[in-house]
Amino acid sequence: MKTWTKTININAPIENVWRLLDGSLADLQKIMPQVVENKPIKITEEVVGSVYRQKYKEGKRIEEYDVETIEYTNTPDKKILKVGFTLANMFEITAYYELNKINETETSFTYTVTNNPLKWFVKLFLLFASDKVVVEFLERVKKVSEAQYY
């Protein structure tokens, strides 16, 4: 299993950043343009345990998988969303988003992703995996959040 964690400070209120992670499909697509559908399958009152069927476009192919909410916290000063899904029956992936309010106009965003290969031959690919995708995602969230705020 491989884990990457990165943190970035964003010059936007915590609610503005949170909306991109926990909002509508249109909001989600601003930071994840490859997600073409995010349909609720099972919604729980406490959010944890909720499942969404997500469609993700990679080139000409569309992958479909169920994303389950594993952890959820939504307070004025701290917000956490952790989701998990299995991609192409080859990878078990979790994404952990943590937002902390620094002040009224600044937010600290920590993103942790884990990738657990389910097939022996896929483990080789992870040896060469870098944190590039994680860094690019953080920078995209920062750019979109700040552009919408200012």
Side-chain angles (χ1 to χ4, degrees):
M1 183 163 61
K2 198 123 179 184
T3 302
W4 297 271
T5 299
K6 295 284 177 193
T7 301
I8 197 168
N9 284 354
I10 299 174
N11 295 310
I14 193 169
E15 292 299 334
N16 291 40
V17 184
W18 184 239
R19 193 174 307 116
L20 295 171
L21 299 167
D22 192 43
S24 67
L25 175 61
D27 285 326
L28 185 63
Q29 287 175 324
K30 291 173 186 170
I31 56 169
M32 296 179 196
Q34 306 92 331
V35 174
V36 293
E37 191 176 288
N38 193 38
K39 204 167 57 182
I41 301 297
K42 178 179 133 194
I43 300 298
T44 64
E45 210 174 292
E46 58 281 347
V47 184
V48 171
S50 293
V51 178
Y52 290 82
R53 171 111 353 111
Q54 212 169 73
K55 289 185 180 175
Y56 184 91
K57 190 172 183 169
E58 188 68 55
K60 293 185 192 314
R61 261 194 5 232
I62 292 182
E63 289 284 342
E64 186 176 282
Y65 45 86
D66 290 347
V67 178
E68 182 179 358
T69 304
I70 300 166
E71 195 176 330
Y72 188 86
T73 302
N74 186 357
T75 67
D77 294 336
K78 185 182 197 92
K79 299 179 184 300
I80 293 171
L81 175 62
K82 183 178 183 180
V83 297
F85 58 96
T86 300
L87 187 59
N89 290 321
M90 291 214 220
F91 297 101
E92 228 171 52
I93 297 171
T94 63
Y96 177 84
Y97 312 101
E98 182 179 332
L99 301 178
N100 286 290
K101 180 178 177 178
I102 297 170
N103 57 45
E104 294 308 313
T105 59
E106 263 189 299
T107 305
S108 170
F109 174 34
T110 301
Y111 176 49
T112 301
V113 70
T114 62
N115 192 327
N116 185 26
L118 300 175
K119 310 253 192 272
W120 67 268
F121 56 90
V122 182
K123 290 179 183 176
L124 299 173
F125 292 110
L126 277 187
L127 295 175
F128 304 104
S130 74
D131 64 359
K132 182 179 175 230
V133 174
V134 174
V135 170
E136 286 173 355
F137 179 70
L138 281 175
E139 288 170 356
R140 190 165 46 254
V141 172
K142 178 180 173 70
K143 183 178 163 196
V144 171
S145 297
E146 291 176 354
Q148 287 187 331
Y149 181 62
Y150 291 106

